[in-house]
Amino acid sequence: MSIWIFFKLIGALALLMFGMKAMSEALQKMAGPQLRHILGAMTTNRFTGILTGTFITAAVQSSTATTVMTVSFVNAGLLTLVQAISVIMGANIGTTLTAWIMSAGFSFNITDFVWPAFFIGIVLIYSKKRKLIGDFLFGISFMFLGLGTLRQTGIDMDLAHNQAVLDFFSNFDPQSFFTTIVFLLIGSVLTMCVQSSAAIMAITMILCSTGVLPIYQGIALVMGENIGTTVTSNLAALTANTQARRAAMAHMVFNVFGVIWVLCIFHPFINMICDWVGYDVTMPKGAPGFAANAAKLSFVLAAFHTTFNVANTTILVGPIKYLEKLVCIIIKPKANKDEDEFRLHFIQAGIMKTPELSVLEASKEIKSFAERIQRMFGMVRELLGERDMDKFTKLYSRVEKYEGISDNMEIEIAKYLDQVSNAHLSDETKEKVRSMLREISELESIGDACYNIARTTNRLINSKEEFIPEQYDHIHQMFELTDDAASSKTKCNKRVSLSERCRRSRRVARGCLHLS
């Protein structure tokens, strides 16, 4: 095999992965906040949750995006664990559409159709109103170009006549259970490394359609891909709360359970699917019609992928509560940590795969930041009336610690939002990001004002001085006004924006500091 054919193979895989990523991101940007609203609103029970997960994944062509989004929603408290599990079940069904698209791409030369799509896409990209449609067309064109190139590369490699490859696969007995386990593990490891089940599915289709890899080993690779793809959501949940980690673990348990029951009826199950598609398992190589029979293998793989996930969902949708209990046993709650420790609760390490979702995570983090500042404000009020020196010293040290935490939170959230703003976002989301940057700046200013009041009080205590009663009255009055500015509603009963409340609180807190 020529080195150039190898480069063509990995280049085509990269093109396929890039096309799917570009298409998925374009669809998510077109959906915008509606995608989050749909996911939050249409999960009232397990069945609507499954349908929601299926349709969203089929629409955006990324089960990873749906699963990571679901885990994040659980982390933010927007979905219960049962709702999240049902959405993940649906995502597993929705992702099987990718396999059908790929099987169609392997059955005929689809590259002839992508060139007009590229031309239309570039025209739309230069049109501001239809730029996202152009991005979508470019993504899907790259995906089909990658599929077509993979198909042609598989033909050029002529693996069916490559003795070294044939000898390697002949070492494995297709009927052996050990062989099935080996290929299942290979599929899992490859998917974990590549972080793309679609890429491994494409390789599997090449190997099977050229007649090199028997259908049983091909199916074992697909089963391994189902396990390997769950690693992404578990990695995303590593720094999340307990419920989010349980949702990610449920994804893994769901797929592992499906693999176990399929292994128990492996050959009869595969033979049944082959009969549905019309593939003859017993046809030997070189027999008349062998090439036409082998061409059906990509459809067998797609049919198995769909049947496996639909059957697995049907089995587990009833006892979903028991699945919830199992993951609760596996993932124990984290030990309670000191509330004074600096930790971001909602923002994960790195940017989420969905930029729109990253904004939601940042919004929840800012709310947590505001609650922390409000606790700091309460400590300062308590500090003002404390005369026990031991208690005063402990309280003052906590205020100092909160000042450092507020500085760190502002830096980390601002850094995260800066990374998010580098992605392609809708105009509405860009405005949200700008508003959030203002909010965290105002919140940090309130923290600074609170700390300055605490320092002034500390100096007075150390110098054995006191405010006069009128000053105390005015200071308490200012505290009331600050508290009211941070949590009040407008006269027309509409909630004042967080940014505006932060500005009011900062002004009053600074006034309080000036008075003191």
Side-chain angles (χ1 to χ4, degrees), residues 228-245:
T229 195
T230 63
V231 173
T232 304
S233 57
N234 279 276
L235 288 175
L238 281 178
T239 57
N241 62 27
T242 302
Q243 288 295 85
R245 289 186 293 121

Side-chain angles (χ1 to χ4, degrees), residues 1-16 105-106 108-109 111 144-162 165 202-203 205-207 209-210 212:
M1 183 175 68
S2 167
I3 187 67
W4 296 112
I5 291 182
F6 172 75
F7 282 133
K8 190 176 178 181
L9 175 66
I10 60 175
L13 281 172
L15 198 61
L16 170 68
F106 276 94
F108 62 92
N109 190 4
T111 54
F144 283 129
L145 181 60
L147 282 173
T149 308
L150 278 173
R151 175 180 176 273
Q152 188 57 47
T153 304
I155 295 171
D156 295 342
M157 289 168 72
D158 194 21
L159 294 174
H161 297 93
N162 188 314
V165 175
I203 294 173
M205 286 184 174
I206 288 176
L207 293 172
S209 59
T210 53
V212 173

